[in-house]
Amino acid sequence: MNQKQFNRWAKIKEKGQLRYVVVQSLIMSLAIFIGRVIGFFIIDDNVWPGSFFYDNMSNFIFIILFSPFIVLVFWYIQESSFKKELKIRERA
């Protein structure tokens, strides 16, 4: 972890875990949703929005419910890297 990454994670960490998880989950969910919308209207001949939501409702519910857990795993991975780097820097 270089100095820039270390400082960036320190700032993110100050704002808190809940904020990180919520913001990143929303970003991930919106990106997947927009990608599916674009794919639906480009690839599929059926351009009725009602059928799009009907066909993908279970996917959206799954994404909204499980993206926070995925982001939480990323939080702990980053936190582990940060703590290792902090120990290395304290020794030096």
Side-chain angles (χ1 to χ4, degrees):
M1 183 179 273
N2 62 28
Q3 185 65 31
K4 186 176 179 181
Q5 292 170 332
F6 185 83
N7 292 338
R8 182 173 180 260
W9 186 253
K11 288 179 184 178
I12 291 171
K13 188 177 173 175
E14 285 177 10
K15 294 177 184 176
Q17 181 182 22
L18 180 63
R19 180 177 174 167
Y20 176 80
V21 170
V22 169
V23 169
Q24 295 301 317
S25 296
L26 287 174
I27 290 171
M28 184 188 314
S29 298
L30 281 173
I32 293 170
F33 176 75
I34 291 170
R36 286 195 176 261
V37 168
I38 291 170
F40 178 78
F41 287 111
I42 290 176
I43 295 171
D44 202 357
D45 294 333
N46 186 3
V47 293
W48 295 102
S51 64
F52 168 74
F53 289 109
Y54 180 75
D55 293 343
N56 290 300
M57 189 56 64
S58 62
N59 292 335
F60 295 142
I61 292 171
F62 179 79
I63 291 167
I64 290 170
L65 290 178
F66 288 104
S67 63
F69 295 111
I70 295 168
V71 173
L72 194 60
V73 169
F74 290 135
W75 169 272
Y76 286 118
I77 291 170
Q78 269 307 94
E79 189 65 20
S80 174
S81 297
F82 180 79
K83 287 180 181 179
K84 287 179 186 176
E85 184 69 24
L86 190 60
K87 286 182 182 179
I88 291 170
R89 289 176 186 225
E90 287 176 353
R91 289 182 196 158

